[in-house]
Amino acid sequence: MDFKELLRQAGIVGAGGAGFPAYAKLSAGADTLLINGAECEPLLYSDYFLLRKEQESVLFGAHETAKYLGIKRVFLCIKEHTARRLHLEEGQSLEYGAIVKVLPDVYPIGDEISLIYQATGRVVKAGNLPVTAGVIVYNAETLYNVAQAVRTGAAVTRKWVTVGGAVKEPAVVTVPVGTRISDLFAALHVTVPEGYAVLDGGPSMGKIIDEETAVVTKTTKGILVLPESCEAVRSKRLNAEKSAARAETACCQCTRCTDLCPRALLGYPLQPHKLVRTSPQAAKLSPGLVLSATLCCGCGLCASLACCQGISPKAVIDGYKALLAQNKLKFISKWDATVPAEREYRMIPTERWKSVLGVAKFDQLPVFKGDAAFSCAEILLRQHIGAPSVPCVSEGDTVAAGDRIAESAQGLSLPQHASVAGTVHIKKDRILIIGK
């Protein structure tokens, strides 16, 4: 089977981000492959343990990907603290010809565009794909899944997940895709006290979820329990419309949000201080006024650290992103960006960022607990960018772990596979599998 088709059939997505189908990244024109093991967010250690336990498989997956694309240069990109724990050094040679690239402990260095510049010195033109700069980036877990598909034909049915935050014993476990968060918490003896929220993802860019109904997806990196009072949760409760209305009158145009914006510090024409003063009514009439909002990576620095007025430029920009998506508009530049000299001095140390978010006291190295078994799974039909999968099983069917239960839709899409054995029940947006 063709390598690209193998990745599609295995249902492999970007395991650390928005869930872009891995096969769709395989484009000609790149000379460098970056393994993103930066683990950008505080409190997350899934990729660290993956690299500690399965580094050979990650490097093999990168090797097979590079071989298919004719790429000669592969970098394993990890932060300083991860390099120390793994006893790796800058420039060190690894299996399959990969080279270690040590990144500074700053946030958000794991952002794809920032990572590319830090590792290669190249700047992706604003709004363009990384391959236009000769680079392809895959998360470490994505390449681990590539290795499993190449070696055994296995589809993605398990996920490496950090369970942390305000829990008695933070842990990293591997669980079936579709595991109910409530079942995972019960197995690890985790309770959610009154006044605490649960996040799927990191404290910066993760989303607040209902632990009684949410499930582990192919993009879940961490499940965190955090107090409602901390900035990490408070900032996610802000309303975009209210934030925009307040920004129109309260913003003093100090430009700190733009001064600290990671994308602006790569020379991108993104100026949050101007976007927050743009009238929402004007933006609705002429969305092109806020077109640069699509360049925002959503890191949250502008909201939680930069603004002295308590405004959330991120919340405002998120609203404009939704408006631009409705109008199918995106900023795409034809011009190279020039990185400002001050970038090096404006990057935010991770330790400082943890304190700003109010999560520093929860950061401790988890215990690795290995594989966890569950008898039920709820497989969402949309776990990737693109069209949702289409069920190919019927109500009451019996399936084994690894069986295909949904096919790709037309266009950009992926199939889904059973992560546990059991009886099928078809729901509106998911397939429930109940085992014995």
Side-chain angles (χ1 to χ4, degrees):
M1 184 185 298
D2 173 73
F3 182 77
K4 190 171 186 176
E5 181 62 14
L6 176 66
L7 268 55
R8 190 181 73 83
Q9 295 292 343
I12 301 175
V13 306
F20 194 76
Y23 77 89
K25 279 191 176 184
L26 297 174
S27 302
D31 58 28
T32 302
L33 171 63
L34 301 183
I35 305 170
N36 189 350
E39 211 137 37
C40 191
E41 291 262 36
L43 310 189
L44 301 184
Y45 290 91
S46 305
D47 287 346
Y48 161 67
F49 277 102
L50 175 64
L51 289 169
R52 199 175 95 178
K53 302 289 184 180
E54 298 286 353
Q55 186 179 126
E56 187 276 337
S57 290
V58 173
L59 297 177
F60 176 75
H63 168 72
E64 290 295 302
T65 304
K67 182 173 68 174
Y68 176 77
L69 294 170
I71 290 174
K72 303 298 183 184
R73 192 168 68 156
V74 177
F75 290 133
L76 171 60
C77 301
I78 52 176
K79 285 184 177 179
E80 291 171 353
H81 72 87
T82 303
R84 287 194 300 270
R85 288 189 171 107
L86 295 176
H87 306 291
L88 298 176
E89 298 179 351
E90 170 70 20
Q92 182 176 339
S93 296
L94 303 173
E95 291 179 270
Y96 305 108
I99 303 295
V100 175
K101 179 63 67 172
V102 179
L103 310 171
D105 281 331
V106 298
Y107 176 81
I109 204 65
D111 164 53
E112 189 173 60
I113 305 301
S114 297
L115 178 74
I116 290 171
Y117 177 72
Q118 199 68 38
T120 69
R122 301 176 186 177
V123 181
V124 180
K125 292 177 183 177
N128 287 259
L129 295 175
V131 72
T132 62
V135 182
I136 289 181
V137 183
Y138 279 112
N139 176 260
E141 188 177 358
T142 304
L143 292 169
Y144 171 79
N145 290 331
V146 169
Q148 304 313 302
V150 171
R151 285 173 163 165
T152 68
V156 179
T157 59
R158 298 193 69 84
K159 196 77 182 69
W160 293 64
V161 179
T162 300
V163 178
V167 299
K168 185 176 181 180
E169 185 181 55
V172 171
V173 293
T174 65
V175 301
V177 172
T179 297
R180 293 164 172 162
I181 303 301
S182 57
D183 290 345
L184 177 58
F185 278 2
L188 296 176
H189 308 291
V190 171
T191 57
V192 182
E194 190 73 25
Y196 282 69
V198 179
L199 271 59
D200 182 328
S204 314
M205 301 171 73
K207 296 181 179 180
I208 297 172
I209 59 172
D210 179 355
E211 70 273 17
E212 295 300 324
T213 59
V215 301
V216 171
T217 72
K218 292 179 181 179
T219 60
T220 301
K221 274 296 184 185
I223 302 295
L224 304 179
V225 180
L226 295 173
E228 289 276 358
S229 58
C230 74
E231 175 63 17
V233 177
R234 188 199 69 79
S235 62
K236 298 180 193 343
R237 298 291 193 192
L238 296 175
N239 178 276
E241 291 186 4
K242 291 182 180 179
S243 295
R246 184 175 177 216
E248 282 188 274
T249 55
C251 177
C252 65
Q253 291 289 281
C254 68
T255 76
R256 272 177 54 86
C257 54
T258 297
D259 292 342
L260 293 179
C261 174
R263 293 292 177 85
L265 287 173
L266 286 172
Y268 277 28
L270 174 60
Q271 297 178 299
H273 74 283
K274 290 186 178 180
L275 288 171
V276 297
R277 287 298 295 269
T278 302
S279 164
Q281 290 74 26
K284 289 179 182 179
L285 291 172
S286 182
L289 290 173
V290 294
L291 194 59
S292 63
T294 62
L295 301 177
C296 170
C297 68
C299 68
L301 283 175
C302 59
S304 298
L305 177 63
C307 188
C308 61
Q309 299 283 8
I311 297 167
S312 175
K314 178 183 181 297
V316 176
I317 291 172
D318 284 345
Y320 288 148
K321 282 182 179 178
L323 173 66
L324 292 165
Q326 291 171 7
N327 289 275
K328 298 181 180 179
L329 294 173
K330 180 181 178 181
F331 189 105
I332 301 178
S333 175
K334 297 180 180 179
W335 313 108
D336 293 327
T338 301
V339 178
E342 59 268 24
R343 176 181 181 272
E344 181 181 354
Y345 310 104
R346 291 184 181 173
M347 293 191 293
I348 307 302
T350 303
E351 290 300 318
R352 182 183 179 194
W353 183 235
K354 286 189 291 188
S355 296
V356 168
L357 293 178
V359 301
K361 63 182 177 181
F362 303 120
D363 190 18
Q364 57 179 303
L365 190 66
V367 175
F368 182 68
K369 297 202 171 181
D371 293 344
F374 295 91
S375 59
C376 298
E378 297 183 33
I379 312 297
L380 300 186
L381 296 173
R382 187 190 290 277
Q383 298 186 61
H384 52 267
I385 289 177
S389 312
V390 180
C392 59
V393 289
S394 301
E395 182 74 21
D397 284 353
T398 300
V399 295
D403 286 354
R404 182 171 301 197
I405 56 175
E407 298 286 358
S408 302
Q410 290 188 345
L412 187 66
S413 187
L414 285 171
Q416 305 295 339
H417 302 80
S419 57
V420 299
T423 304
V424 166
H425 299 277
I426 308 293
K427 304 296 182 181
K428 182 179 179 181
D429 64 342
R430 64 194 66 195
I431 297 175
L432 171 62
I433 304 172
I434 300 179
K436 294 181 180 180

